[in-house]
Amino acid sequence: MKTRTRVLTGTALAVALGAGTFGAVSANAAQAEVQAAPAAATAKNEVGEKNFTTSTHLTVDAAARAAQGALEAARKENQKVTVAVVDRNGNTIVTLRGDGAGPQSYESAQRKAFTAVSWNAPTSVLVGRLAQAPNLKDIPGTLFLGGGVPVQAGGAPVAGIGVAGAPSGDLDEKFAKAGVEALEK
């Protein structure tokens, strides 16, 4: 091999090794910065306890027990219903569609539960409010028919139970109340 070729090959090798070492050093430095960033961000973004509230929610087991209690009350009276339980934010925790319940009952039960927890009142009571404020019925996700009741803890709504499918809102509400009673046992 000629001297010139050896020098060029050696230089190229030295440059490649240097670049690899530099890249490794740069990568390690960048990695150290990334690892340090979350600690700094956490300290920087920490806020005081006064900025938070605590709320009570039903457990999944409690919601299932409430839904099963309402469904069982309906079965005893040979009614085919759907029962929905929603949390304080109106999110569905559990829905049980009873054998033979109509297809419309699924959404109706959820909307009744949502309405009851939103206003912390039985939907049968809220139906009366439509006379003074007919636009209430236009709020998305609501249904102002009997059959929805709130679940309360300390007087505050923590969930809603909605029942749909019985021949009347009074029966639906009776079964929803049986769901609340199942939580008290």
Side-chain angles (χ1 to χ4, degrees):
M1 209 188 252
K2 295 187 180 178
T3 306
R4 182 178 166 163
T5 305
R6 278 191 221 151
V7 171
L8 288 175
T9 303
T11 304
L13 184 59
V15 169
L17 287 174
T21 302
F22 178 76
V25 170
S26 295
N28 287 339
Q31 186 178 11
E33 286 177 24
V34 169
Q35 288 173 346
T42 301
K44 208 190 270 187
N45 294 334
E46 190 68 33
V47 294
E49 292 284 327
K50 67 182 179 188
N51 295 306
F52 299 99
T53 62
T54 302
S55 61
T56 303
H57 293 270
L58 285 183
T59 64
V60 171
D61 289 340
R65 194 169 61 248
Q68 195 63 50
L71 192 59
E72 188 57 38
R75 279 189 195 140
K76 287 179 182 175
E77 295 193 29
N78 296 317
Q79 297 300 316
K80 297 168 175 37
V81 301
T82 297
V83 181
V85 180
V86 301
D87 67 13
R88 174 60 187 111
N89 301 318
N91 299 309
T92 303
I93 303 171
V94 64
T95 301
L96 296 178
R97 185 176 172 275
D99 295 335
Q104 79 290 353
S105 66
Y106 192 89
E107 182 179 351
S108 296
Q110 289 177 327
R111 290 174 61 192
K112 288 178 183 184
F114 175 81
T115 305
V117 75
S118 296
W119 276 274
N120 193 24
T123 52
S124 61
V125 171
L126 297 172
V127 170
R129 294 185 188 173
L130 288 177
Q132 295 88 24
N135 291 346
L136 282 178
K137 69 181 180 335
D138 298 331
I139 297 173
T142 60
L143 185 59
F144 292 87
L145 296 173
V149 296
V151 177
Q152 299 177 340
V158 296
I161 301 174
V163 177
S168 74
D170 292 339
L171 279 175
D172 285 339
E173 188 168 315
K174 176 182 174 181
F175 304 142
K177 287 179 179 178
V180 173
E181 290 169 11
L183 293 171
E184 296 169 355
K185 296 177 183 178

